[in-house]
Amino acid sequence: AAEAGGREMAAWARAVRGLLLDISGVLYDSGGDGGVPIAGSVDAVRRIKASGLKLRFCTNETQATREKFVKKLQGMGFDISVAEVTAPAPAACRILKERSLRPHLLVHNDLVPEFAEIDKANPNCVVIGDAAENFTYANLNEAFRLLIGMEKPVLISLGRGRYYKETDGLKLDVGAYMKALEYACDVQAEVVGKPAKMFFESALAEMGVPPQQAIMIGDDIENDVGGAQRCGMRALQVRTGKYRSVHSLHP
């Protein structure tokens, strides 16, 4: 049985044409000091690209524009370009334009340039991202008042992560604040980014690879692994970043 299982695994591995890589907690740990690469990750990206596998970086990073974020990673030695990154902010901008939505932004200051071409006058929705220090009571209350005053409140969240790891420890993520607004306003947030199916499908389409021939690699059992599996992909959880054995899946 073990031999048959090994053959099946080898056949499946040969069928893999594309990899989707999470960034924070997989390639590097973020932090106020700019963060640090995880041991072996720079070389791993180099080897993946040399192997001929298609590669897409899938991140829920919303504390910086893709340009600034990628520049930081390049400075750490990673072979990565903006064109290879699937991130929530540009996906949210497409939705806002398609639905003529004008957002009130509760996001990190460094992410605001991603929304430069979006009309933000007289908001008819709220967009929430990982705002970090901008998650003050006053800012959350302002978003709450706008939503509660809408006839049909629209809350768009750039992810729903619970927490993530920085160099100085674990940090609350956007999902905790998203849930607060959902509860207060009796509204269901529309999640853009992982684990939304549309987010993974977009990354697969950009690679030109069907879900059955792709693997998602991440440190988040729900957003990375669970989201990818619901999309028809296989997924692997790394034991870095926010990984804690208490949250891992049993075999």
Side-chain angles (χ1 to χ4, degrees):
E3 192 180 325
R7 282 199 302 270
E8 185 185 328
M9 178 65 84
W12 164 71
R14 279 196 298 275
V16 172
R17 289 175 49 219
L19 289 181
L20 285 72
L21 274 187
D22 180 31
I23 297 178
S24 181
V26 174
L27 299 185
Y28 89 119
D29 283 326
S30 59
D33 52 358
V36 293
I38 290 166
S41 58
V42 171
D43 187 49
V45 170
R46 195 179 297 122
R47 293 208 318 270
I48 290 165
K49 289 195 168 184
S51 74
L53 284 169
K54 294 195 175 183
L55 180 60
R56 195 86 196 154
F57 299 92
C58 289
T59 180
N60 271 8
E61 169 66 42
T62 57
Q63 282 198 14
T65 61
R66 281 164 302 157
E67 286 76 8
K68 193 172 177 182
F69 182 49
V70 164
K71 202 169 183 180
K72 178 171 77 173
L73 290 165
Q74 287 171 342
M76 292 180 185
F78 288 103
D79 179 5
I80 182 172
S81 67
V82 172
E84 296 172 307
V85 176
T86 302
C93 286
R94 283 198 297 273
I95 290 168
L96 293 168
K97 285 176 180 174
E98 283 166 12
R99 290 164 54 185
S100 301
L101 290 170
R102 301 178 304 277
H104 168 77
L105 300 176
L106 178 47
V107 300
H108 197 282
N109 291 345
D110 290 345
L111 191 72
V112 173
E114 289 272 19
F115 297 88
E117 293 177 19
I118 302 292
D119 181 8
K120 294 177 278 292
N122 189 23
N124 57 2
C125 75
V126 168
V127 171
I128 183 172
D130 178 15
E133 304 300 325
N134 278 352
F135 279 136
T136 62
Y137 176 79
N139 287 346
L140 277 162
N141 203 49
E142 186 182 4
F144 157 72
R145 284 178 171 174
L146 280 164
L147 283 169
I148 206 80
M150 293 174 191
E151 196 177 328
K152 290 184 179 174
V154 176
L155 173 60
I156 295 173
S157 187
L158 306 180
R160 67 171 197 209
R162 293 178 176 138
Y163 58 86
Y164 54 93
K165 186 188 177 196
E166 287 203 337
T167 49
D168 63 345
L170 300 176
K171 301 287 175 84
L172 274 176
D173 202 352
V174 62
Y177 302 95
M178 176 197 89
K179 287 290 183 185
L181 290 174
E182 280 187 335
Y183 178 62
C185 302
D186 195 21
V187 63
Q188 185 83 39
E190 298 175 43
V191 179
V192 179
K194 297 174 294 184
K197 198 174 179 186
M198 186 180 74
F199 189 77
F200 288 108
E201 286 172 346
S202 174
L204 288 166
E206 284 156 358
M207 287 198 299
V209 172
Q212 301 80 7
Q213 295 179 359
I215 307 174
M216 174 72 206
I217 300 171
D219 67 328
D220 188 313
I221 199 69
E222 169 57 26
N223 292 330
D224 296 330
V225 176
Q229 288 174 338
R230 285 191 292 274
C231 203
M233 275 185 274
R234 298 199 187 218
L236 299 172
Q237 184 186 24
V238 293
R239 297 186 175 215
T240 52
K242 73 172 78 169
Y243 170 85
R244 295 165 74 210
S245 57
V246 70
H247 290 152
S248 64
L249 289 179
H250 296 293

